[in-house]
Amino acid sequence: MKKRFSVGKAEWSDTREEQFRKDSLDIAFRFGDTLNTRDGTVYIIKKDVEIEISKPNKVKTFWFETWLKLKDFYGV
């Protein structure tokens, strides 16, 4: 039996993940901060201080998990 694979769903997921990346960068930028990713961890750079904000569990949802943490951090 063949496994079913949906190209459309994979493309949709990639598009959504890219939008979460842009939204995450936008949230940090609105507060005058920048984001840095290193070793699978996301850091906020606020006035030359690095604050660890998120270490997402899944690669596929990396930016979605980061976006959720940023919303909590900034109270957006």
Side-chain angles (χ1 to χ4, degrees):
M1 184 183 266
K2 289 185 178 181
K3 274 187 156 181
R4 296 177 75 189
F5 181 77
S6 171
V7 174
K9 184 176 179 183
E11 289 171 353
W12 179 80
S13 294
D14 291 342
T15 301
R16 295 243 333 154
E17 189 66 6
E18 179 61 22
Q19 188 60 50
F20 284 122
R21 184 186 73 80
K22 289 177 183 176
D23 290 347
S24 296
L25 294 171
D26 185 50
I27 290 170
F29 181 75
R30 276 190 271 156
F31 288 91
D33 302 332
T34 56
L35 294 180
N36 186 15
T37 57
R38 187 174 60 248
D39 299 327
T41 305
V42 179
Y43 299 91
I44 293 175
I45 301 174
K46 184 183 223 43
K47 297 181 183 176
D48 297 329
V49 175
E50 262 190 356
I51 303 167
E52 183 179 329
I53 191 70
S54 174
K55 186 166 183 148
N57 296 325
K58 297 179 183 178
V59 174
K60 284 186 167 187
T61 60
F62 184 88
W63 287 107
F64 173 69
E65 292 180 48
T66 300
W67 175 75
L68 290 174
K69 295 285 186 176
L70 285 170
K71 283 181 54 173
D72 286 343
F73 182 81
Y74 287 114
V76 177

